Amino acid sequence: MIGQTRWRIWGVAGIVVGIIILLLLTAKWMRTDEPLSDTAKKFMQPDLIYRAKTQQHPYFYLLGIDAKDEINPHALGRYRYHREWANYIRDQNADEYYKLDSGLSKKLTREGFSEDEIELIKNLQLSLNNSPKQFSILVVEQKKSLQALLERERIPLQRFSDLLGRKDYMSLVIPSQASGPDYSYIRNLQLLKLVQIQLDSTSNLVQPYAQQFHQVLEFTHNCISLIEKMLLQNWLSQMIDLIRLEQKNENHPILLKSLDLDQLGLKTSLQNELMGSYLLTQYLPYSPEVNAVRLEWLYLPNKTFNAIATQYEVYWRLSEAPYTELEQRFSAIEHPSLPKWRLKNTLGHILSQVSTSNFEKYLLMNHILNNKILAFNALSNRVLDLDVLNQTSDGRRYFKKEGKLCIELPFPKHKLPELKLKQDSCVQI
């Protein structure tokens, strides 16, 4: 009887010990991260990651382009970059630091536009979106006000031209809560650049517009972010319309360079986006907002980043696909299965579900712009016969619509409404 009791005790003890060992192994398994995958390593771009000793970088110029005339934009951009990162690393909720930095930054920034100037810029943008002819007419009508505005913005416009002349530009990654470059101001500078060209040119407008077009197109060879790519694509598309208008008025044939394979691809822009995700996944465990959740039991940085990188790879590969295969690949696009709830890395799987945008729009915008350039060149060469144009071997299908020459988009028609595209590949005949 005593022996049986002793064996039972040893049996229960063994079960308890076994359960403890199993729990320890489970805990170790839950907290064991994985190395970065080969896919993730392909996207890694160390030069984008924050380095405290960085003193000179073209990206600083963009960050400080709205500095007061007497302030060096590079110095202001460097200050903003390092202070944003210092605040992020030290304490994301440090309100006193944020107020101090934003106050100093504001003192060094140019004054904003007046209400009348904002209204004028808004009307210019609307007219340009509707018709390049309306834009040109409005510029003439508002010549006096625009000349005064151009004179006031003379230094920022020169800074913008200097930036576009850089061939070593690289858009750096900044913290997710950082304000970043003032892209709305840059969009206004783009518009004023077009106004400046029209007012400064006494006769031939085709050449100065084309020169500006090719400078911007050359700049897109740099490592730019997705938002910068979209801003420049929209600007290039607007310039094509203006060049075509002036070309018809002046009977001035000219050909525009099209995008090469590097410009059509999205690898460098996706690297920029993904490095932002990488920094988020690595810093998240130290974020004050989530410390109370005991993140170490629910989150693995590398495993999360690997899942996100796998999703990005789909778009990277698609952006480098031959034109003739695009529509088929768009139709058959598949994303890796990422179940929302898993015991291991639960928060990481949720983050990977919501951190990836739909990049189909960005992929398509490159080809829309390129097709518009090709349609423009066909018109400049006075080739209007659709049978001739459609004999090309690159898979493009030309058609005419409402007095315009267009190229069909390489995308399933039933999906196009989802993208809400503002641009098309049509050029006025």
Side-chain angles (χ1 to χ4, degrees):
M1 189 70 177
I2 296 176
Q4 291 179 348
T5 302
R6 187 175 297 170
W7 279 110
R8 288 175 183 171
I9 294 174
W10 279 107
V12 171
I15 293 173
V16 172
V17 171
I19 292 174
I20 293 174
I21 293 174
L22 182 61
L23 290 174
L24 290 174
L25 291 175
T26 301
K28 180 177 176 58
W29 169 75
M30 288 186 65
R31 287 304 311 130
T32 301
D33 204 352
E34 59 188 30
L36 291 177
S37 65
D38 291 339
T39 297
K41 290 177 181 178
K42 289 177 184 177
F43 275 103
M44 294 296 289
Q45 180 56 268
D47 290 340
L48 302 181
I49 298 177
Y50 176 68
R51 294 179 178 177
K53 295 182 180 180
T54 302
Q55 296 297 312
Q56 302 292 329
H57 200 286
Y59 184 68
F60 295 161
Y61 204 82
L62 181 69
L63 279 175
I65 200 168
D66 58 346
K68 288 184 175 180
D69 292 354
E70 64 274 17
I71 303 296
N72 187 321
H74 189 278
L76 178 58
R78 180 174 61 236
Y79 167 78
R80 287 172 171 171
Y81 176 77
H82 288 296
R83 291 301 295 177
E84 290 283 12
W85 272 109
N87 290 344
Y88 182 73
I89 295 172
R90 177 176 49 209
D91 184 353
Q92 294 187 56
N93 289 330
D95 291 336
E96 66 275 18
Y97 294 117
Y98 175 78
K99 291 177 181 178
L100 174 66
D101 295 338
S102 62
L104 178 57
S105 181
K106 187 175 181 180
K107 290 180 181 179
L108 301 176
T109 303
R110 293 173 57 84
E111 293 183 7
F113 296 106
S114 67
E115 292 184 5
D116 290 340
E117 290 169 340
I118 292 173
E119 186 66 22
L120 176 57
I121 290 174
K122 181 180 177 180
N123 290 335
L124 282 169
Q125 187 63 68
L126 289 174
S127 64
L128 184 56
N129 291 341
N130 293 330
S131 164
K133 187 173 183 179
Q134 290 181 19
F135 172 79
S136 297
I137 292 173
L138 184 59
V139 170
V140 174
E141 291 177 349
Q142 300 292 329
K143 181 178 179 179
K144 186 175 181 180
S145 297
L146 287 171
Q147 284 179 330
L149 184 55
L150 288 173
E151 177 58 29
R152 203 194 76 181
E153 297 295 316
R154 178 176 52 84
I155 291 179
L157 284 168
Q158 184 57 51
R159 292 171 179 170
F160 190 45
S161 291
D162 294 341
L163 179 67
L164 292 173
R166 299 293 296 259
K167 295 184 178 180
D168 59 347
Y169 178 82
M170 178 184 292
S171 183
L172 296 177
V173 172
I174 56 177
S176 56
Q177 90 288 356
S179 56
D182 188 349
Y183 289 117
S184 61
Y185 181 63
I186 293 169
R187 188 169 58 247
N188 290 338
L189 290 180
Q190 289 178 341
L191 190 65
L192 291 177
K193 268 290 178 184
L194 301 180
V195 172
Q196 188 179 52
I197 291 173
Q198 181 168 331
L199 293 181
D200 286 352
S201 301
T202 56
S203 55
N204 184 350
L205 282 170
V206 172
Q207 287 293 351
Y209 274 134
Q211 183 178 3
Q212 182 69 79
F213 176 92
H214 286 124
Q215 183 189 36
V216 177
L217 190 66
E218 180 64 26
F219 182 79
T220 61
H221 277 110
N222 289 312
C223 299
I224 58 179
S225 66
L226 278 177
I227 187 171
E228 291 163 1
K229 182 180 284 289
M230 292 293 285
L231 280 171
L232 294 179
Q233 284 173 336
N234 184 65
W235 196 26
L236 288 166
S237 180
Q238 291 172 338
M239 279 191 275
I240 293 174
D241 293 330
L242 287 169
I243 295 171
R244 180 57 183 164
L245 172 67
E246 300 304 328
Q247 182 189 51
K248 291 168 63 180
N249 293 337
E250 301 170 10
N251 193 24
H252 191 132
I254 190 172
L255 297 181
L256 300 176
K257 291 182 181 179
S258 56
L259 280 67
D260 60 27
L261 293 178
D262 287 337
Q263 291 168 310
L264 287 170
L266 285 181
K267 182 179 179 180
T268 55
S269 294
L270 289 177
Q271 279 180 317
N272 184 279
E273 292 291 314
L274 195 62
M275 290 312 298
S277 296
Y278 174 75
L279 293 172
L280 175 63
T281 61
Q282 303 305 305
Y283 280 105
L284 188 59
Y286 309 102
S287 171
E289 289 93 338
V290 294
N291 279 345
V293 187
R294 303 300 296 170
L295 194 66
E296 62 267 20
W297 294 107
L298 303 170
Y299 182 76
L300 300 173
N302 285 355
K303 188 175 180 63
T304 302
F305 183 67
N306 287 342
I308 297 173
T310 300
Q311 298 176 84
Y312 274 68
E313 186 182 29
V314 174
Y315 295 105
W316 168 24
R317 298 298 183 191
L318 187 57
S319 74
E320 297 180 350
Y323 189 86
T324 53
E325 300 178 12
L326 281 175
E327 185 168 352
Q328 180 182 357
R329 291 203 183 187
F330 269 127
S331 300
I333 189 170
E334 292 184 3
H335 301 285
S337 176
L338 296 172
K340 188 173 182 179
W341 294 104
R342 287 187 181 179
L343 176 63
K344 186 176 182 180
N345 198 38
T346 301
L347 289 181
H349 283 290
I350 296 174
L351 179 62
S352 65
Q353 290 280 347
V354 300
S355 63
T356 306
S357 304
N358 184 345
F359 294 118
E360 293 176 357
K361 177 178 180 179
Y362 301 104
L363 287 168
L364 196 54
M365 286 299 293
N366 280 333
H367 291 284
I368 290 175
L369 175 61
N370 200 45
N371 283 350
K372 190 167 186 175
I373 295 171
L374 296 176
F376 173 91
N377 288 340
L379 291 172
S380 190
N381 283 326
R382 294 188 172 89
V383 181
L384 294 174
D385 191 328
L386 294 180
D387 291 334
V388 174
L389 291 170
N390 288 328
Q391 287 177 0
T392 60
S393 59
D394 56 12
R396 289 178 172 82
R397 300 295 300 175
Y398 290 77
F399 66 97
K400 296 178 182 179
K401 180 184 72 172
E402 300 174 355
K404 296 181 178 181
L405 180 65
C406 310
I407 299 178
E408 290 184 3
L409 302 182
F411 196 83
K413 293 183 179 179
H414 67 278
K415 282 191 173 183
L416 282 175
E418 301 174 7
L419 297 181
K420 298 179 181 178
L421 298 171
K422 295 182 179 179
Q423 298 291 343
D424 57 37
S425 58
C426 298
V427 180
Q428 191 72 43
I429 295 176

